[in-house]
Amino acid sequence: KCVTRRVGSDYHYRTEVTMNRDELLNAVSQDSLTDIFTRLYGNNEEILAMQKERYIKAVKSFEALYPESEDISIFSAPGRTEVCGNHTDHQHGCVLAAAVDLDAVAIVSFHHDHVIRIQSVGYEQEFIELDDLGIQPEEKGTSRALVRGIVSQFHDMGVQVDGFNAYITSDVLSGSGLSSSAAFEVLIGNIIDRHYNGGQAGAVKIAKMGQYAENKYFGKESGLMDQMVSSVGGFVYIDFGDTTNPVIEKHECSFEDGGLRLIITDTKGSHADLTDDYVSIPSEMKLIAAQFGKMVLRDVEEEQFYQSLPRLRSVCPDRAILRAAHFFSDNARVRKETEALDANDFPAFLHLVRESGRSSAELLQNLYSTKKPIEQGIPLALMVSGRLLGDHGAFRVHGGGFAGTIQAFVPEELTGQYQMTMEALFGEGCCYVLNIRSEGGVQVI
């Protein structure tokens, strides 16, 4: 039986533990961290061995970069996958998403220099001076802006952040639809909260801090789903009816119990020049809501919407009407999928996923950009998935759509064939076989 837990501001950890370099390397090498590794990454021996090597390499890279550091802490924050509720959150609807076992890991030491130094693998080292925590226009769109925005909120809470050095490695690939930015934000929030605030902020507050930093400092308007799922962990049902105080439920369930594997396939489509496509969805949905004197579709009665179709068609584009219809159907579907998982009713769950996928394709229409009509990697991947899986699995567009990834729930016995087929189309390494991670942002000790 799956377990449901309502998550509030008291959902946090209070412990913080540090080790020196040799102690930490010994702990990893001698498998002293096996229990937490299993909670974060599953019990596959090959994956656990890979994670062990990953952590050892990260600790050694940290030491080479910051040789003066003595006590070291390690933190982790996961990526996420959307399970149901495609483009419903910005209309104050409901979503079901889950943390996955791809994560961002930070090796950290704390100091009193009043500066944060971050070296992320593949990027130049960042320096964030903490004397001025105001919005810096020149930092818009950078990780420095995210860090400064998060620190500013702890400062507003009366928390003194002196600084830290961090080496960050992440396998939550950028542009994969698994939300690497949210994992980074939750990682930074946990580092500060555990060391400088005794873990008092908790998962929900840290998620809101990440969203605030992304909206105000980074300059990107985004909802709260990505940060909340990364911070809380597990399956997370969120009702955004009250955006200042959303209803958050944590659910625990394993697809393996149903003989299924969760697979994300990257179709390698370019995300360049897709801003207008993404913006068109909320703007068209809000256009329909405005015809009823409302700001968002959540406040419109579904039956009234359908009764008003002739009038709506005289003043609104057909696509806007179809996208509104998708909102109503997928928003209701979120609770149904959640209940199916709670009951371990995997056939019902797969049926609902297929319904959601058809709704995104036919009503939401976010499988490819109308500016690039000949580039249709997502429809191609869905077509091939349908031929291979039939009614034995389920598949749908993943995330914002238009380019990028699809999501599939594949029977265990077809996993190898599915991967081989997709990689023949989109290249080696395009498939990510994922596990649901029950832990959100954590200190890995």
Side-chain angles (χ1 to χ4, degrees):
K1 180 70 175 177
C2 298
V3 178
T4 302
R5 173 169 40 166
R6 184 64 60 90
V7 178
S9 60
D10 60 340
Y11 185 73
H12 57 254
Y13 300 82
R14 295 180 180 274
T15 59
E16 195 220 347
V17 181
T18 62
M19 293 183 177
N20 64 38
R21 170 196 177 272
D22 291 336
E23 291 171 336
L24 188 53
L25 288 176
N26 286 336
V28 178
S29 300
Q30 298 174 10
D31 296 328
S32 299
L33 302 182
T34 298
D35 287 346
I36 181 107
F37 274 19
T38 301
R39 295 205 305 274
L40 299 184
Y41 307 113
N43 55 15
N44 182 288
E45 292 185 3
E46 183 178 344
I47 292 176
L48 291 176
M50 181 186 69
Q51 291 296 341
K52 181 194 296 187
E53 291 303 314
R54 178 190 181 206
Y55 274 67
I56 291 172
K57 181 179 179 181
V59 172
K60 291 181 177 179
S61 297
F62 174 89
E63 184 194 32
L65 190 63
Y66 307 112
E68 72 283 0
S69 300
E70 296 181 359
D71 293 333
I72 300 173
S73 300
I74 302 182
F75 297 83
S76 164
R80 69 99 185 106
T81 182
E82 170 198 295
V83 180
C84 189
N86 198 208
H87 282 281
T88 53
D89 57 334
H90 50 68
Q91 297 301 298
H92 297 191
C94 303
V95 297
L96 176 64
V100 298
D101 56 352
L102 299 180
D103 66 344
V105 172
I107 315 298
V108 182
S109 66
F110 297 91
H111 54 67
H112 302 288
D113 295 350
H114 215 52
V115 61
I116 293 175
R117 306 178 185 93
I118 296 178
Q119 176 66 68
S120 296
V121 175
Y123 296 90
E124 294 184 0
Q125 189 174 15
E126 301 277 16
F127 299 86
I128 300 94
E129 301 281 350
L130 302 182
D131 294 328
D132 183 359
L133 297 178
I135 297 173
Q136 310 292 317
E138 70 278 7
E139 287 184 347
K140 293 279 187 178
T142 69
S143 58
R144 297 193 308 278
L146 295 173
V147 175
R148 194 180 304 278
I150 293 170
V151 174
S152 73
Q153 292 169 89
F154 278 104
H155 181 268
D156 291 345
M157 293 166 55
V159 178
Q160 177 63 46
V161 181
D162 288 337
F164 58 85
N165 298 331
Y167 179 88
I168 297 177
T169 176
S170 177
D171 55 14
V172 188
L173 299 180
S174 179
S176 65
L178 298 170
S179 200
S180 58
S181 59
F184 177 84
E185 293 157 17
V186 170
L187 190 68
I188 298 300
N190 272 274
I191 291 170
I192 297 171
D193 188 44
R194 304 297 171 84
H195 185 78
Y196 290 111
N197 192 39
Q200 294 299 309
V204 172
K205 179 65 175 177
I206 287 173
K208 292 180 177 179
M209 287 179 168
Q211 182 200 23
Y212 177 88
E214 191 165 305
N215 292 172
K216 303 299 183 181
Y217 280 71
F218 187 85
K220 177 184 176 183
E221 289 299 322
S222 64
L224 185 59
M225 176 182 71
D226 296 349
Q227 294 88 349
M228 193 65 74
V229 177
S230 177
S231 193
V232 171
F235 285 92
V236 184
Y237 169 91
I238 309 175
D239 184 338
F240 289 106
D242 179 357
T243 56
T244 60
N245 188 31
V247 175
I248 304 160
E249 298 172 1
K250 181 173 180 176
H251 296 247
E252 296 178 6
C253 191
S254 172
F255 289 126
E256 286 79 1
D257 292 343
L260 299 170
R261 299 306 304 268
L262 166 61
I263 300 181
I264 300 296
T265 299
D266 184 359
T267 66
K268 309 296 185 181
S270 172
H271 288 80
D273 301 323
L274 294 179
T275 299
D276 291 343
D277 294 291
Y278 292 128
V279 170
S280 70
I281 293 178
S283 63
E284 289 181 10
M285 288 183 176
K286 289 178 180 179
L287 176 63
I288 298 297
Q291 306 309 311
F292 299 92
K294 306 296 183 181
M295 295 292 295
V296 292
L297 286 174
R298 175 63 177 264
D299 297 329
V300 176
E301 292 291 334
E302 181 177 3
E303 190 57 36
Q304 187 181 10
F305 162 75
Y306 281 109
Q307 291 175 355
S308 302
L309 289 182
R311 177 178 66 84
L312 291 174
R313 193 162 190 245
S314 69
V315 293
C316 298
D318 290 343
R319 189 176 68 175
I321 297 171
L322 292 171
R323 284 175 164 173
H326 164 81
F327 168 81
F328 289 116
S329 64
D330 224 37
N331 192 54
R333 201 174 285 116
V334 171
R335 177 52 80 180
K336 293 178 183 177
E337 282 197 21
T338 306
E339 291 172 349
L341 288 177
D342 281 348
N344 281 346
D345 188 347
F346 293 103
F349 170 77
L350 292 175
H351 173 73
L352 290 164
V353 172
R354 290 191 290 267
E355 279 191 352
S356 180
R358 285 193 294 269
S359 182
S360 290
E362 297 169 6
L363 302 179
L364 187 60
Q365 301 178 43
N366 67 333
L367 301 193
Y368 63 93
S369 173
T370 55
K371 293 185 292 186
K372 305 175 183 178
I374 63 172
E375 297 180 18
Q376 298 196 24
I378 288 177
L380 178 60
L382 295 174
M383 181 272 290
V384 173
S385 297
R387 284 181 57 83
L388 182 58
L389 301 179
D391 292 334
H392 300 292
F395 45 90
R396 59 187 285 268
V397 64
H398 181 246
F402 299 109
T405 57
I406 71 162
Q407 177 190 74
F409 298 94
V410 181
E412 186 78 44
E413 63 272 16
L414 293 178
T415 298
Q417 183 182 355
Y418 186 86
Q419 281 186 275
M420 184 173 61
T421 301
M422 286 300 175
E423 293 191 349
L425 267 178
F426 301 108
E428 185 177 355
C430 71
C431 278
Y432 305 91
V433 182
L434 305 178
N435 294 306
I436 303 302
R437 168 169 150 166
S438 62
E439 306 277 353
V442 295
Q443 183 176 7
V444 188
I445 293 291

